Amino acid sequence: MTIGVLALQGAFIEHRKALERLGVDTREVRLPEHLEGLAGLIIPGGESTTIGKLAVTYGLLEPIRAKAASGWPVWGTCAGMILLARDIGGLAQPLLGLMDVTIRRNAFGRQVDSFETWLDVPELGGDAPFRAIFIRAPLIERVGPGVQVLARLSDGAIVAARQRNLLVTAFHPELTDDLRFHRYFVRMTEEATKA
Ligand code: GLN
C-alpha cells in the first residue's frame, strides 16, 4: 500500500517521514499520473493559495476530486484543510471544495500567529491528549450534517473533523512525534482498500 503526499509546496517531507515511520510506502505527487495506484492522499500545510494555483497549473484538482468522490481517503492539514473545504467565506482561490465545512483562514490573528495546545481526541483511542501545533492556522466555523467533529479548542472552536473518507486537521501532526493521526489515516486507507 502506498500513500501519496501532495508535494507542490509546504510541509510534505514531514508527512512522508511520519508515514515511513509507520512502515507505509509513500510517493510525492506533483502530476496527475503520480496518483495512479495510491491508497490515499495527504495535502500538507503550507500556503493554500500557492498550493491551489499550482494544483490548477498541473491539472491535479479534477483527478483528485474524481478519486475522492469514489471514496478514496484524503487528509488535509492546515492549508490542506482549506483546499478540501467547500466554503472559505467567499475568498476567491482554487479549492477542491469537497467537504461540507466553512473555514476561516488565518483565524487566530497576528498576536497568536503560532501556538501549541493539548487536544482531547477521543476518536484516536486512549485518554492521552494530542499535542497540536498551530501555524497561521485556519479553523472550522461550521460543519454540515455529514461531518463528525473530532477535536475542539477549549473555547469550542472546531479544529479536526471527518466526513466519511475526508479528514481535516487545522494543526500539524507531522511536526510532532505523536503518530496517532497518521495511524488513524492509514487505517482509513486500509478500510477503503478493503471496501
Ligand atoms: N495560513 C495558511 C493558508 O491560509 C495556512 C498555514 C499552514 O498551512 N500552516 O494557506
Side-chain angles (χ1 to χ4, degrees):
M1 190 177 82
T2 304
I3 293 180
V5 183
L6 192 66
L8 300 174
Q9 189 263 345
F12 53 89
I13 291 167
E14 291 81 356
H15 274 297
R16 287 194 65 182
K17 286 186 179 153
L19 290 172
E20 282 161 11
R21 281 176 62 199
L22 291 173
V24 176
D25 292 331
T26 64
R27 185 192 302 155
E28 292 184 2
V29 171
R30 295 192 176 81
L31 295 169
E33 52 262 41
H34 300 158
L35 296 167
E36 283 320 304
L38 293 178
L41 180 72
I42 297 179
I43 305 178
E47 179 51 47
S48 61
T49 50
T50 306
I51 296 173
K53 280 182 201 154
L54 291 170
V56 170
T57 303
Y58 294 112
L60 279 160
L61 290 184
E62 266 317 313
I64 293 172
R65 276 189 201 120
K67 288 174 89 68
S70 70
W72 192 64
V74 182
W75 174 18
T77 55
C78 204
M81 167 167 113
I82 295 166
L83 279 151
L84 277 173
R86 201 173 285 172
D87 177 7
I88 58 167
L91 296 178
Q93 64 182 75
L95 299 175
L96 289 161
L98 293 168
M99 193 158 166
D100 187 13
V101 292
T102 302
I103 303 283
R104 179 147 42 97
R105 285 185 63 194
N106 302 316
F108 298 95
R110 286 246 168 102
Q111 288 84 347
V112 284
D113 232 7
S114 301
F115 63 99
E116 294 184 22
T117 191
W118 293 92
L119 299 175
D120 284 322
V121 193
E123 186 73 2
L124 293 179
D127 290 332
F130 193 92
R131 183 174 145 238
I133 301 177
F134 291 80
I135 304 169
R136 288 175 290 108
L139 64 72
I140 304 171
E141 289 186 319
R142 179 199 63 88
V143 296
V147 179
Q148 178 189 9
V149 172
L150 300 183
R152 293 178 187 267
L153 296 176
S154 53
D155 67 2
I158 302 168
V159 291
R162 176 174 175 180
Q163 178 185 312
R164 291 185 302 275
N165 54 312
L166 306 175
L167 175 67
V168 290
T169 53
F171 47 93
H172 289 264
E174 79 285 5
L175 299 183
T176 65
D177 286 333
D178 191 336
L179 295 172
R180 284 179 291 162
F181 261 102
H182 287 84
R183 204 172 286 125
Y184 182 78
F185 185 67
V186 170
R187 222 175 300 132
M188 282 173 63
T189 62
E190 285 166 351
E191 281 160 15
T193 309
K194 265 183 252 148

